[in-house]
Amino acid sequence: MKPLKLVMSAFGPYAEEEVIDFSLLEDKNIFLITGPTGAGKTTIFDGICYALYGRASGQEREGESFRSHFAEEGR
């Protein structure tokens, strides 16, 4: 399975809508998700797993705990 696009809004550290367009990688078979500690790398995998399975990628967290603390109320 190869992800094509991930759209997250008020998810983890991402308060606004964030779009990761994996289709820009075209025919690349391998890529890295890198960044400093706390940058939100694991949140990208959590977003994919939550979209597919309704739970995080190995962490014991529930749906409401994914809501960004930086997001506005009602979002």
Side-chain angles (χ1 to χ4, degrees):
M1 175 174 50
K2 183 176 179 180
L4 300 177
K5 183 185 276 188
L6 178 64
V7 180
M8 297 180 287
S9 180
F11 191 86
Y14 305 114
E16 301 297 321
E17 182 176 275
E18 296 292 331
V19 177
I20 302 172
D21 188 357
F22 292 101
S23 70
L24 296 174
L25 298 170
E26 297 175 349
D27 61 347
K28 307 295 187 284
N29 293 322
I30 189 167
F31 58 91
L32 296 174
I33 295 177
T34 65
T37 300
K41 299 177 298 292
T42 301
T43 304
I44 294 170
F45 296 110
D46 284 340
I48 292 170
C49 288
Y50 191 77
L52 292 172
Y53 309 111
R55 58 188 170 96
S57 59
Q59 298 178 358
E60 296 297 323
R61 294 192 290 173
E62 297 285 328
E64 188 62 30
S65 69
F66 290 114
R67 187 180 190 299
S68 175
H69 299 285
F70 304 108
E72 296 175 15
E73 286 296 319
R75 186 164 174 151

